[in-house]
Amino acid sequence: MHRHLPLEEEVMNMLIGGFSTIMFIAIITVIFLWRRNHAQRAAFLWILVHFVSFSIAVYLALKAISFDINHPMSSEEISLLLGESGVLWGGSMICLLVGIFKLSKVKKDDKKNKVL
């Protein structure tokens, strides 16, 4: 019998379903905005990379949560999965910040034409 972190039976399915639904909506929104805004394509690409790498990080974290604790090296495996998840999450946050930075850049011509 496999033993994992004690969770109610449907919790893992709810986590996966909820995360997948929200991430799908977010990715579709970014792709839609990316296609509409030709001037800021690089920024939306960085945000899309953030969503993809964040999704992989969540996948690894959920895999760690559901890992078989009877496995001979479960502690090491779970630690490695959580470490990889953390590194990917950190990288995804950097991608998000780069995307936000690129979106916030105002061109010199736009500053001159801006009326205060």
Side-chain angles (χ1 to χ4, degrees), residues 3-19:
R3 295 194 35 112
H4 335 115
L5 182 68
L7 296 171
E8 292 295 323
E9 189 172 333
E10 290 299 315
V11 169
M12 191 59 73
N13 292 336
M14 289 171 38
L15 284 172
I16 292 168
F19 178 81

Side-chain angles (χ1 to χ4, degrees), residues 19-42:
F19 178 81
S20 299
T21 301
I22 299 300
M23 192 54 68
F24 177 75
I25 292 168
I27 288 173
I28 293 300
T29 302
V30 169
I31 290 172
F32 173 75
L33 292 172
W34 185 11
R35 293 180 56 115
R36 273 184 67 199
N37 190 343
H38 297 286
Q40 299 292 335
R41 284 189 169 210

Side-chain angles (χ1 to χ4, degrees), residues 40 100-107 110:
Q40 299 292 335
I100 290 171
F101 179 76
K102 286 188 174 289
L103 281 175
S104 69
K105 276 189 171 180
V106 179
K107 294 180 183 175
D110 291 342

Side-chain angles (χ1 to χ4, degrees), residues 4 17 29 39 44 50 60 62 66 72 78 81 91 97 107 114-115:
H4 335 115
T29 302
F44 289 114
H50 158 71
L60 292 173
L62 291 175
S66 63
I78 292 170
L81 287 169
L97 291 174
K107 294 180 183 175
K114 194 173 188 178
V115 177

Side-chain angles (χ1 to χ4, degrees), residues 13-15 20 27 29 43 46 60-63 69 76-77 86 88 90 93 95 98 101 113:
N13 292 336
M14 289 171 38
L15 284 172
S20 299
I27 288 173
T29 302
W46 280 102
L60 292 173
L62 291 175
K63 191 173 175 183
I69 60 174
E76 292 83 356
E77 290 286 338
L88 268 171
M93 294 307 291
C95 292
V98 170
F101 179 76
N113 295 332

